[in-house]
Amino acid sequence: PTPDAARIAQSVARKSGGLVLFDLLEAYHGGLLDRHLRGRDVRWLRELLRRRIVHVCERSDLVSTVSEGVLDHYRSPRTPYVIVRSCAPMSFSEQSASRGRRDRPLRILHGKFSPINGTQVVLEALTMIPSDVECQVVMFGESSQRKGYEDIGSALELSPPVPHSDMPGVMRTCAVGLIAYPRNLGAESLPNRLFEYMATGLAIVAPE
């Protein structure tokens, strides 16, 4: 579970005699928090969040994480852990993403319409693209989220969310997979999408 859900799970486990596995996905007090602070440097809040997650880890029976880099932020002698290397399901590699690669417009998969995914930056970039450049960014969200970005026109394809099992088919209609949030990729986060893009054969645009 997420850190908030892990605290609830720990409370339930104490009453029911269960065990808690905490899946530590990224450095929550780093780049993810920055997206919510919007440039404000609130160091005390950052450190408070880090310590609270350390406490969540210490109260869990097992912590799984994606890399040593993420674990180092919250490591404790009292925390049993296992590093689980991410990978994509076989369905993502059953066919290559060759369809649509030479078609126009160039289709770029962004994924979920969300502030923590760097959506705002992508939308701003779309407004700067010259009219003779044909590209289309694919996002998933509610139609109401398009409000204020009507001028982007067909450069934004905003579709209702789809089941994860449908994503291989979606990716095969695209040429590029985009990871837009400005986090320290590989050190503070390691999203599954990166491996799904690789398995599908998409070209990848991601932060350093």
Side-chain angles (χ1 to χ4, degrees):
T2 63
D4 289 340
R7 291 173 62 88
I8 297 173
Q10 289 163 354
S11 177
V12 173
R14 285 199 305 269
K15 298 176 182 178
S16 65
L19 301 175
V20 176
L21 166 64
F22 175 36
D23 192 10
L24 184 60
L25 298 176
E26 61 180 286
Y28 294 98
H29 72 292
L32 181 61
L33 181 60
D34 288 338
R35 298 300 297 170
H36 294 283
L37 294 179
R38 300 189 178 187
R40 291 171 292 176
D41 186 15
V42 188
R43 298 183 182 181
W44 67 266
L45 178 60
R46 194 180 306 279
E47 179 59 17
L48 175 63
L49 178 58
R50 190 194 69 81
R51 291 184 180 183
R52 288 180 69 90
I53 295 176
V54 170
H55 184 61
V56 169
C57 290
E58 290 177 340
R59 296 181 62 197
S60 298
D61 297 284
L62 180 64
V63 174
S64 64
T65 186
V66 295
S67 71
E68 288 277 358
V70 172
L71 180 65
D72 285 343
H73 293 290
Y74 311 109
R75 192 190 298 268
S76 167
R78 291 184 287 172
T79 305
Y81 69 89
V82 59
I83 295 176
V84 180
R85 303 299 180 185
S86 299
C87 63
M90 288 295 295
S91 57
F92 284 86
S93 59
E94 289 175 353
Q95 300 178 26
S96 69
S98 58
R99 188 192 322 168
R101 282 192 171 177
R102 293 184 177 85
D103 293 345
R104 291 188 177 184
L106 177 72
R107 285 172 59 82
I108 304 169
L109 180 59
H110 170 63
K112 186 178 180 181
F113 191 113
S114 169
I116 65 173
N117 284 348
T119 298
Q120 184 63 39
V121 174
V122 176
L123 294 172
E124 291 174 2
L126 284 175
T127 65
M128 303 176 188
I129 294 176
S131 58
D132 59 337
V133 174
E134 298 183 47
C135 73
Q136 186 176 57
V137 174
V138 180
M139 298 187 188
F140 297 98
E142 303 300 326
S143 58
S144 59
Q145 292 176 301
R146 194 182 183 102
K147 185 177 181 180
Y149 300 101
E150 293 84 357
D151 293 345
I152 295 176
S154 61
L156 171 62
E157 179 184 303
L158 184 60
S159 302
V162 300
H164 186 257
S165 59
D166 290 348
M167 285 306 299
V170 173
M171 290 186 182
R172 292 182 193 116
T173 70
C174 299
V176 178
L178 178 62
I179 298 176
Y181 49 83
R183 285 176 249 173
N184 193 353
L185 192 65
E188 289 192 358
S189 65
L190 198 61
N192 290 334
R193 268 192 302 151
L194 175 64
F195 299 94
E196 293 169 355
Y197 290 162
M198 294 169 65
T200 314
L202 292 178
I204 299 171
V205 177
E208 296 183 3

